[in-house]
Amino acid sequence: MPKAFTPKVVTANALLEGDVIYLAADDRWVRRLDEAEIITDEAIAQLRLLDAQARASEAVGVYLADMAPTEAGPQPTHFREEFRATGPSNYHHGKQAAG
Amino acid sequence: MYSYTEFDTAFVAERNRQFRQQVERRISGALTEDEFKPLRLMNGLYLQLHAYMLRVAIPYGTLNGAQMDQLALLAEKWDKGYGHFTTRQNIQYNWPELRDVPDMLDALAEVGMHAIQTSGNTIRNVTADHFAGAAADEVADPRPVAELLRQWSTDHPEFQFLPRKFKIAVTGAENDRAVIKAHDIGIQVVEHDGEIGYRVLVGGGLGRTPMIGKELAPFVPQADLLPYVEAVVSVWNLLGRRDNKYKARIKITVHEHGIDEIRERVAARFAETKAAFGGVDLELFEEIEAQFAPPAFRNAPTEAFDAAYEADPVFRAWCDSNLTAHKAGGYAIAQISLKAHGKTPGDATAEQMRVMADLARRFGHDELRITHEQNVVLPHVHKSDLPEIHKILKAHGLATANIGKISDIIACPGMDYCALATARSIPIAQEIATRFDELKIENEIGELKIKISGCINACGHHHVGHIGILGLDRAGVENYQITLGGDATETASLGERTGPGFPAEEVVPAIERIVDAYMQHREGPGESFLQTYRRIGMAPFKTALYGEDAGKRQRAA
């Protein structure tokens, strides 16, 4: 049996601000993880990634990040993505401050 | 202190002008990220986890008040009101926006500073003993050499595309406070029969494959230093492995070819470089050296200091841990700890930077230093001024009396900021410092250096910490390996792993067990943690960490 596909979001850093951004279903870049599109199909994930990578004047370092789908939206499965979605732990800066 | 010549000023201005245009072309879409990335890195601009990060060079860790004020301005105007001092004596800003960076670089240029070669496969910021020019044990001030190397290496056409980055450190004293044995090239100023020269070490480094540097030459005469260093870098530039980035540093080249072969190759190349230099470097060195003349020390009574030392226990504790002997009578070297318990190691707010700048101007001959241990130094203060200095530091959260103690922790930014990190460092440092402050045994423990890195690249120097902590990702969970017995000084050694790592919440209890074992086994308060470890070895610490069986196995081995 092939390994089950882990759902993904498309994420990157914004070119101008440098902060973490996610791709929403309507193709907007959004700042909050709960607004990101969760992709459950591997082929679609690859296509969304290619589309996003083509937007080089908006985003840097585009990649697919593993997520668990929940009612509250995508939830990171790895702590690195959790920190990206929240901000640093030593100051109330980054996403957590933007609320 | 060195001040920019017209040449330096014009060079930095031209680089900033070029970078401003590169940023504009990136934003307009004329440059791709692949094209832009090497250009931004050449100017110290990284893209980290949450934002861009600008790394500003502080050559050999030396600043004047105006420069520190300008660093405060950058923090306030373009960042979030603080800056982070690093183990390469640099400062990093964690939150700049791309469009603002050219303005930040122009602001730096106003005070003779820049971010050139703080990244990339070039010769990086040259570091030096942070007590340079002040320490009582010094043969000569290492900074003129460091400045000469900075000028030589900046934009050196042969060394812009090296196999990997290259780091040089210089010390002027036998007591090594610049970690020269963990550098690609380590230079020690020495004196033989009244003549000043340099002992040159090569092939040290931390990171993935930690190595202690080996002696390449016991004595290089002053007149030969620059062509000799050029010969070393040149030999490695050709010989160094470009096929594998993990084997590209000079430590691997030295390891693979052997120090004797490297020495022969350097000697052959030196014959060429020496002829090519033709002495122009010596004229330059003399000009530079003149700018590092010691300040006019004053001769004044120190009764005020003695009285305060007797009367005020808080001041006394601070003096006992934060002062070092100065070469001039009546003077002291004062360290300002950026390790307040529970705070981020190496961080200073804009307000704190201005306070330190002001103290330097009023009491310290306008000089400040940044240490690789992420603290700040007032290198020349008269003892009679210390009570007043301490009062001002205390009012701004800068009077922590913990230099060299268990809470004076080196920590890299780790996964709170760094895109390369595998785990966080800062919260571990905060928790250890907070815990030992609660226990009130810091002074009893004495000298104990904890160094924490959030990945194997070892920016937090964990291999040379008396206790080293390395944060890793073990199956999606932060996990911390502990090493013991590392040493960053002239008696350098690499720490040895205790055994299996610990999850984040078990790191503080593990450190407590290690410290308890030390306190039990030491021969008295005069025997430091490192001395005890060297005397009794790993076994008692293994027992303390993992139980009796583990300790026994270690003793049997």
Side-chain angles (χ1 to χ4, degrees):
Chain A
M1 209 175 89
K3 212 174 135 216
F5 176 72
T6 307
K8 306 271 191 273
V9 300
V10 175
T11 183
N13 288 78
L15 173 69
L16 296 180
E17 297 83 359
D19 62 337
V20 175
I21 50 177
Y22 303 99
L23 191 63
D26 61 1
D27 285 343
R28 281 178 309 127
W29 289 111
V30 293
R31 256 69 191 177
R32 291 167 54 124
L33 179 55
D34 59 7
E35 294 174 9
E37 174 192 19
I38 185 128
I39 310 165
T40 52
D41 181 288
E42 189 167 6
I44 291 173
Q46 289 305 323
L47 283 175
R48 296 292 283 159
L49 176 66
L50 284 173
D51 287 346
Q53 279 170 336
R55 294 163 69 175
S57 61
E58 300 163 11
V60 183
V62 185
Y63 67 97
L64 293 167
D66 287 353
M67 294 286 157
T70 73
E71 278 180 16
Q75 291 292 319
T77 59
H78 190 278
F79 58 88
R80 187 177 195 271
E81 289 304 326
E82 216 170 283
F83 299 150
R84 288 183 79 240
T86 313
S89 49
N90 61 333
Y91 297 114
H92 193 71
H93 288 159
K95 298 281 176 227
Q96 57 201 342
Chain B
M1 236 182 102
Y2 182 75
S3 28
Y4 272 18
T5 60
E6 275 176 37
F7 175 85
D8 296 317
T9 305
F11 173 76
V12 172
E14 174 59 14
R15 274 290 288 265
N16 287 355
R17 191 189 62 78
Q18 288 171 358
F19 188 60
R20 184 176 291 278
Q21 292 184 346
Q22 288 156 1
V23 168
E24 279 168 17
R25 294 210 297 280
R26 175 66 183 101
I27 292 171
S28 77
L31 287 176
T32 66
E33 185 60 22
D34 284 349
E35 287 162 339
F36 179 62
K37 189 177 172 184
L39 301 172
R40 69 168 156 81
L41 289 177
M42 280 168 76
N43 292 286
L45 186 65
Y46 286 73
L47 185 54
Q48 297 282 60
L49 222 49
H50 312 291
Y52 286 98
M53 179 272 279
L54 182 66
R55 181 184 292 157
V56 177
I58 302 174
Y60 34 90
T62 296
L63 287 171
N64 61 29
Q67 290 173 323
M68 187 62 117
D69 275 339
Q70 198 75 343
L71 295 181
L73 178 88
L74 262 75
E76 227 162 45
K77 193 166 173 186
W78 292 294
D79 206 89
K80 292 189 190 291
Y82 74 103
H84 175 76
F85 291 102
T86 77
T87 53
R88 282 212 74 66
Q89 302 178 302
N90 291 322
I91 184 169
Q92 294 183 174
Y93 293 101
N94 285 321
W95 303 96
E97 294 192 6
L98 181 58
R99 275 191 207 282
D100 293 334
V101 175
D103 291 340
M104 295 171 82
L105 294 177
D106 283 348
L108 288 168
E110 285 171 16
V111 292
M113 296 182 77
H114 62 71
I116 296 165
Q117 286 180 210
T118 58
S119 175
N121 293 335
T122 55
I123 297 173
R124 300 289 188 89
N125 185 36
V126 178
T127 53
D129 182 349
H130 40 257
F131 295 162
D137 60 1
E138 183 172 88
V139 172
D141 189 334
R143 291 173 302 161
V145 173
E147 174 59 27
L148 183 71
L149 288 163
R150 185 189 73 83
Q151 295 191 16
W152 158 82
S153 65
T154 301
D155 220 25
H156 191 304
E158 191 180 332
F159 302 143
Q160 291 304 298
F161 297 93
L162 292 167
R164 198 79 177 83
K165 58 188 161 185
F166 199 88
K167 298 178 182 177
I168 304 176
V170 194
T171 173
E174 171 69 28
N175 296 314
D176 178 12
R177 289 172 289 259
V179 208
I180 63 167
K181 289 187 174 175
H183 277 78
D184 295 290
I185 289 181
I187 297 172
Q188 181 191 347
V189 186
V190 288
E191 192 176 349
H192 281 184
D193 304 326
E195 189 195 344
I196 293 282
Y198 308 95
R199 177 175 174 235
V200 178
L201 309 176
V202 72
L206 303 175
R208 179 178 297 255
T209 319
M211 297 208 184
I212 300 293
K214 299 176 179 70
E215 187 178 279
L216 188 63
F219 189 86
V220 175
Q222 196 151 44
D224 291 347
L225 183 73
L226 217 44
Y228 192 81
V229 171
E230 178 152 310
V232 177
V233 184
S234 177
V235 162
W236 167 68
N237 196 16
L238 287 178
L239 207 57
R241 289 182 55 177
R242 290 166 195 268
D243 61 315
N244 181 341
K245 110 183 220 196
Y246 302 123
K247 296 192 192 279
R249 295 288 289 269
I250 196 171
K251 61 190 170 185
I252 306 290
T253 316
V254 171
H255 183 73
E256 288 183 347
H257 291 264
I259 187 75
D260 294 329
E261 186 195 327
I262 297 293
R263 193 178 290 118
E264 278 169 33
R265 286 177 183 260
V266 167
R269 179 71 181 135
F270 173 70
E272 294 165 348
T273 52
K274 176 69 182 165
F277 266 78
V280 63
D281 50 315
L282 293 177
E283 288 166 33
L284 190 58
F285 182 74
E286 277 171 25
E287 283 170 31
I288 292 169
E289 205 175 24
Q291 298 198 45
F292 287 95
F297 296 120
R298 73 178 197 265
N299 204 347
T302 57
E303 282 90 3
F305 169 80
D306 299 332
Y309 188 86
E310 279 305 312
D312 179 355
V314 177
F315 176 65
R316 184 160 62 237
W318 180 78
C319 291
D320 287 347
S321 73
N322 292 36
L323 299 186
T324 306
H326 196 284
K327 65 180 180 186
Y331 273 74
I333 301 169
Q335 290 207 59
I336 302 170
S337 169
L338 296 184
K339 313 290 177 67
H341 300 103
K343 295 286 172 50
T344 305
D347 279 11
T349 64
E351 185 217 338
Q352 289 176 324
M353 290 183 214
R354 290 202 175 101
V355 168
M356 293 187 280
D358 193 46
L359 286 173
R361 273 188 296 260
R362 284 174 62 194
F363 303 109
H365 298 276
D366 202 19
E367 266 206 54
L368 290 157
R369 306 286 169 73
I370 308 303
T371 80
H372 78 270
E373 294 180 315
Q374 301 178 286
N375 293 311
V376 179
V377 181
L378 291 164
H380 312 295
V381 286
H382 194 269
K383 282 187 175 172
S384 60
D385 292 325
L386 282 167
E388 178 68 10
I389 291 171
H390 180 254
K391 201 174 105 193
I392 295 167
L393 289 173
K394 211 162 72 175
H396 295 89
L398 289 167
T400 313
N402 64 346
I403 295 295
K405 305 272 168 61
I406 194 166
S407 61
D408 183 9
I409 300 170
I410 288 185
C412 73
M415 205 186 270
D416 283 307
Y417 297 91
C418 178
L420 301 173
T422 44
R424 288 174 296 177
S425 311
I426 292 168
I428 300 291
Q430 291 172 310
E431 285 163 21
I432 294 171
T434 303
R435 178 62 184 151
F436 281 91
D437 190 39
E438 283 164 6
L439 292 173
K440 299 286 169 225
I441 55 169
E442 220 177 335
N443 288 328
E444 213 182 317
I445 298 167
E447 190 191 22
L448 206 175
K449 301 200 173 186
I450 298 185
K451 303 181 197 276
I452 310 176
S453 304
C455 80
I456 57 169
N457 294 313
C459 294
H461 295 186
H462 64 277
H463 299 109
V464 290
H466 300 160
I467 299 177
I469 301 175
L470 166 62
L472 295 168
D473 173 354
R474 284 277 177 265
V477 181
E478 288 170 291
N479 189 277
Y480 295 86
Q481 275 181 8
I482 296 179
T483 50
L484 301 179
D487 175 3
T489 71
E490 63 283 359
T491 48
S493 58
L494 300 172
E496 191 188 341
R497 262 181 69 186
T498 56
F502 298 86
E505 65 278 10
E506 285 177 31
V507 174
V508 172
I511 301 300
E512 278 192 66
R513 294 204 293 279
I514 292 167
V515 170
D516 284 348
Y518 156 62
M519 301 293 269
Q520 265 175 39
H521 285 91
R522 74 179 182 184
E523 286 183 331
E527 190 181 55
S528 71
F529 176 86
L530 186 63
Q531 288 165 336
T532 302
Y533 176 82
R534 284 180 171 165
R535 179 171 57 80
I536 67 176
M538 179 64 92
F541 296 100
K542 266 203 153 151
T543 303
L545 284 173
Y546 306 105
E548 200 56 49
D549 290 352
K552 271 186 199 149
R553 277 199 299 277
Q554 173 78 20
R555 272 187 289 271

